[in-house]
Amino acid sequence: MRLEILPVPGIGHVTEGDDLAALIAGAAPWLRDGDVLVVTSKIVSKAEGRLVDVPADGPERLAARDRVLAGETARVVATRGATRIVQTHHGFVMASAGIDASNVDKTRLVLLPVDPDASARALRAALRDRHGLDVAVVVSDTMGRPWRNGLTDVALGVAGMPAIRDHRGEVDPYGNELQLTQMAVVDELAAAGELIKGKCDQVPVAVVRGYLTATDDDDEGARALVRDASMDLFSLGTAEARADGLRAAATLPDTTGATPADPDAVARAVAAVAEVVAPGTVFTHVTDDEVRAGLAATVRGWPASATGLVLGAAPTPVDRADLVRFGADLQRLRTALAAEGIGSALLPPPAGSTASATLAL
């Protein structure tokens, strides 16, 4: 495969209502069937009127931008100072919901297209129907990446080709069947196009030639790139995940699990909080059946379904601040148990014991 990446200069300033197909076809009469057009989302947004008016500067501008950001946000993923990483209503996770203030008048902000896949399909159809060109279209924007410095362009919308090339089931040269390999080829094409577009060169469209020999309308679009929340191991930033966990801990149901608690899982939960509890707080997982049965017999309200017991001892002597800290430590343990799938019920300590609290599992 031999690829060429070609700039499309001369498109000029795009305003609401402009015909992007006509602008691109006029600026690139050399386009061929099978080319991939990488189109910066900003000119798509401008042509579609996705702009909002804001004050040029001062606190009023910041307040207006915050209101716009709230409207474009489906959920907040992480916050650090003035930086907001959010999930947009499209499902994209990006800084400030992709709202952009560059290459636009100071009194306006550019929002992402409402439906970038639909925008890509419309542009592809216009180039085919009015200009006789059978090309694929990728609508791109700049994103950061978790664990990596620097920015790169990715695909927000695509038409005329699949977003992902699926290699699963293929056999590599060593005879190994590929099990997981799915390449986000439209992101790679978007990044390739950005190499010649740049941010200050006013080249909002690039052409990648040589990747496709034919185009295909039967595709899911860039929606295929959005990972389902159930498969996302990093759906929140660290601080946000911790806050969410503490909120959940405050409302944990006071019930034991429906099945016997796995001793190893209980041990992991106790170990997980051992290093963060207040000095003097100790949690003991009772594993001896005879001892546990004897303790259970002395605890009022012991649930019939309970299969285990954890004793908690607060620092002694205990003052009011110690009680508050111990209560927080107890909730940390209950959260850690819940993370292991273990329900717990808070009970009074056994009569005559030195425990401050008892968790039935």
Side-chain angles (χ1 to χ4, degrees), residues 14 49 57 74 83 88 111 164 171 187 191 203 218 222 226 244 275 301 308 310 319 334 346-347 358:
V14 175
D57 51 35
T83 301
T88 70
L111 312 183
I164 292 174
V171 178
D187 281 348
V203 179
D218 296 327
V226 178
D244 193 52
E275 295 183 0
V310 173
D319 61 21
R334 296 193 66 213
L346 181 61
L347 304 173
T358 302

Side-chain angles (χ1 to χ4, degrees), residues 197-355:
K197 288 192 296 176
K199 292 298 180 189
C200 301
D201 299 330
Q202 294 187 317
V203 179
V205 179
V207 174
V208 180
R209 176 168 292 167
Y211 181 77
L212 295 179
T213 56
T215 51
D216 181 8
D217 278 323
D218 296 327
D219 57 80
E220 187 182 351
R223 290 187 302 277
L225 299 169
V226 178
R227 176 167 288 157
D228 185 82
S230 64
M231 301 294 291
D232 189 351
L233 300 181
F234 306 97
S235 60
L236 291 173
T238 302
E240 290 72 25
R242 183 175 184 276
D244 193 52
L246 291 174
R247 282 192 295 270
T251 57
L252 286 174
D254 201 33
T255 58
T256 58
T259 58
D262 177 4
D264 290 338
V266 177
R268 285 195 300 270
V270 173
V273 301
E275 295 183 0
V276 296
V277 297
T281 295
V282 178
F283 293 114
T284 304
H285 178 208
V286 180
T287 56
D288 184 282
D289 289 340
E290 187 173 330
V291 174
R292 189 168 56 200
L295 289 170
T298 68
V299 178
R300 298 190 307 275
W302 178 264
S305 62
T307 60
L309 187 107
V310 173
L311 303 179
T316 54
V318 179
D319 61 21
R320 183 173 299 178
D322 288 329
L323 286 175
V324 172
R325 285 192 288 268
F326 181 66
D329 291 339
L330 198 60
Q331 282 297 82
R332 288 190 180 94
L333 177 59
R334 296 193 66 213
T335 302
L337 289 166
E340 294 284 352
I342 301 171
S344 59
L346 181 61
L347 304 173
S353 79
T354 58

